[in-house]
Amino acid sequence: MSSEPKTVFVGLAGLGNVGAGVYKNLIRNGDILTDRTGVRIKVKRIAVRSLEKYTDMQIPEGMLTTDWRDLVNDPEIPVIVELIGGVTEAYDLVKTAILAGKTVVTGNKALLAGHGYELIALAEQEDVPLYFEAAVAGGIPIIKAVREALIGNHIQAIYGIINGTTNYILTRMSDAGLSYEDALGEAQALGYAESDPTLDVNGWDAGHKAIILAWLSYGDWVKPEQVYVEGVTHLTQTDLKFARSMGYAVKLLGVIRLDATNRIEVRVQPCLIPQTNIMANVHGVMNAVAVYGDIVGETLFYGSGAGQNATSSSVISDLADAVDNLTNEAGDNNGFVPQGHYGACLPVDETVSRYYLRLRVDDRPGVIASISKIIADHGIGILSLQQPEVDPGADADLMLMLHQATFGKMKQAVAAIAGLECVLAPPVLLRVESLKAREG
Ligand code: HSE
């Protein structure tokens, strides 16, 4: 019979959806974690905003506090889990914890995207590990995959469906014909959305994750203001149906890749991707991240991108690394990723892809001629063109698939088209991605 395992105490800041999952699942799978790590991982204190909310969770007396400093100042707690969300207070908490010599586990992608450069440098300076598996793609171990499993590769490109809420919305709109609002309501009820779902639907939750993936891949931080982000709020059934009829699915895609001059392209946009690509069949809350390495080729990581259990699985994995590092003298898994500087970015206007363009137009002679003239004048080729028949006098949808062009050139053409009298509503422009290691 082996001796009683050592206990490592954890301070849990935040008992929302994910925090509650961490608390419950650490108890549920505590024995197997102890078997595997040789350590009993125990939550000692939990910081919450209001004590009253948690009466039905059977939290032991005295465990809750409304001040996260009680966790950081407790000498018996070497590990702090930050799951309070938001940026301002989370930044104070993480910085204070690092300066107090605590190991930090966070799932806060907005915090890392905005302050990762500084916090990682501080953690290195203080020689304190900082773990963040739950910050990207929920339950998918993509941080470990890129940082550890693909360590011998130059990363050529990453394409990610990295927001569960928007993938759920697009799936339900496309498969069940739900309105955008109803689909969002379902995603919120299922606990996928951020407390403020604006960050999900405007694309920024995915944008923050893309910044973290870019840093992991290239060692450089891209500033949020250098990232081009579009959400899904402007997508309609019409576009999803048109896309499907041509053999494409519409997905909110994070694109992270290097161009030939080593500039980093980081953007998030709803894109048409071929139905024949496995990524097009990633439905509901599921996420998928395709990573191209120069040695390994294409790899694909798939799993639940949001939700209590999936995300808590990633936090618990970080906790296992944290206690290993704390208790094992040979432990060297300190969570650091080399970081250089703020990297050179490829301006979005110079990024290249094919495009889908839908226009609401008058159905009368000369409309297609005037639109195609503008497109030709901008040096862009038309791949195909469709206009479903409408009753005489009714407005029509004109849908064009366009050859490769820079985004800058494409936007100029669309602005000119939007100014035509025959164009009755703001044009819908979506990128078409081939999901290859290099575009082109
Ligand atoms: N709101 C996020 C999502 C949770 O929907 O993907 C995981 O980061």
Side-chain angles (χ1 to χ4, degrees):
M1 186 70 193
S2 58
S3 57
E4 187 59 20
K6 184 178 163 61
T7 296
V8 171
F9 288 116
V10 169
L12 178 57
L15 196 56
N17 192 36
V18 180
V22 171
Y23 181 73
K24 283 192 291 196
N25 288 317
L26 272 178
I27 294 170
R28 173 175 145 185
N29 285 3
D31 288 344
I32 199 166
L33 265 172
T34 302
D35 285 349
R36 290 172 176 171
T37 62
V39 175
R40 190 157 290 285
I41 303 171
K42 262 187 144 168
V43 174
K44 185 178 181 212
R45 304 232 48 198
I46 306 175
V48 294
R49 274 189 223 295
S50 125
L51 299 178
E52 290 73 45
K53 260 177 83 179
Y54 304 97
T55 42
D56 59 346
M57 272 189 71
Q58 295 169 330
I59 309 276
E61 182 107 14
M63 191 181 269
L64 294 180
T65 169
T66 52
D67 188 352
W68 53 259
R69 286 168 193 80
D70 291 342
L71 281 47
V72 175
N73 293 333
D74 187 331
E76 279 191 347
I77 295 179
V79 184
I80 304 292
V81 178
E82 183 280 304
L83 294 171
I84 63 173
V87 172
T88 310
E89 194 176 6
Y91 172 81
D92 279 350
L93 192 169
V94 169
K95 192 169 175 179
T96 309
I98 291 171
L99 288 170
K102 312 278 172 173
T103 296
V104 175
V105 174
T106 179
N108 194 327
K109 48 257 162 178
L111 174 68
L112 289 174
H115 297 279
Y117 184 44
E118 176 197 345
L119 291 174
I120 298 288
L122 186 67
E124 287 206 66
Q125 177 196 302
E126 299 296 314
D127 199 20
V128 178
L130 176 60
Y131 299 99
F132 49 89
E133 184 64 71
V136 182
I140 304 176
I142 191 65
I143 304 297
K144 266 186 194 289
V146 175
R147 200 182 65 183
E148 297 176 23
L150 301 178
I151 193 165
N153 287 263
H154 289 285
I155 303 298
Q156 296 164 315
I158 298 181
Y159 299 96
I161 296 169
I162 45 179
N163 181 268
T165 301
T166 47
N167 203 49
Y168 184 89
I169 291 171
L170 293 178
T171 302
R172 295 290 284 158
M173 284 175 71
S174 181
D175 294 357
L178 254 59
S179 68
Y180 166 83
E181 288 76 16
D182 288 348
L184 171 60
E186 282 190 3
Q188 286 178 289
L190 289 163
Y192 301 152
E194 299 299 299
S195 45
D196 175 4
T198 312
L199 282 177
D200 293 298
V201 299
N202 71 10
W204 267 105
D205 177 80
H208 294 147
K209 294 167 181 169
I211 290 173
I212 296 169
L213 288 174
W215 161 57
L216 282 176
S217 304
Y218 305 118
D220 288 337
W221 287 98
V222 171
K223 294 179 182 166
E225 58 270 27
Q226 294 173 304
V227 178
Y228 184 81
V229 172
E230 259 177 51
V232 299
T233 48
H234 60 302
L235 295 180
T236 62
Q237 293 284 358
T238 309
D239 298 302
L240 301 186
K241 278 186 198 146
F242 265 139
R244 194 198 294 228
S245 74
M246 292 181 301
Y248 292 95
V250 179
K251 294 289 179 191
L252 185 68
L253 205 65
V255 176
I256 300 119
R257 60 189 173 199
L258 276 190
D259 80 344
T261 60
N262 286 338
R263 287 178 299 173
I264 308 171
E265 175 177 352
V266 184
R267 59 188 167 83
V268 172
Q269 289 175 280
C271 299
L272 272 65
I273 61 174
Q275 280 286 4
T276 48
N277 190 289
I278 195 165
M279 298 275 280
N281 294 296
V282 174
H283 300 304
V285 72
M286 304 312 275
N287 279 193
V289 188
V291 185
Y292 290 77
D294 62 341
I295 303 175
V296 71
E298 182 179 4
T299 58
L300 181 65
F301 302 88
Y302 172 85
S304 283
Q308 184 175 72
N309 282 332
T311 312
S312 68
S313 168
S314 288
V315 174
I316 290 169
S317 143
D318 279 349
L319 281 173
D321 279 348
V323 298
D324 180 50
N325 197 56
L326 282 166
T327 57
N328 179 356
E329 277 179 19
D332 57 358
N333 188 359
N334 60 12
F336 295 144
V337 178
Q339 59 176 3
H341 44 79
Y342 282 112
C345 278
L346 180 65
V348 73
D349 283 353
E350 294 179 38
T351 63
V352 173
S353 69
R354 290 186 286 129
Y355 298 90
Y356 160 101
L357 177 63
R358 181 174 64 82
L359 304 166
R360 192 82 178 146
V361 292
D362 279 332
D363 182 23
R364 61 173 164 76
V367 167
I368 290 179
S370 53
I371 291 167
S372 54
K373 178 171 186 319
I374 292 176
I375 292 172
D377 287 348
H378 285 80
I380 301 167
I382 296 174
L383 268 165
S384 71
L385 183 150
Q386 276 184 53
Q387 184 185 305
E389 289 180 23
V390 291
D391 292 334
D395 304 338
D397 277 315
L398 175 63
M399 196 269 304
L400 302 108
M401 296 295 281
L402 302 169
H403 275 289
Q404 280 198 336
T406 63
F407 193 53
K409 190 59 86 182
M410 195 64 236
K411 281 192 309 186
Q412 284 172 12
V414 169
I417 289 168
L420 292 172
E421 209 181 304
C422 60
V423 174
L424 307 173
V428 176
L429 177 70
L430 301 175
R431 301 183 82 132
V432 181
E433 291 291 339
S434 56
L435 304 173
K436 303 235 170 76
R438 291 249 181 272
E439 188 61 35

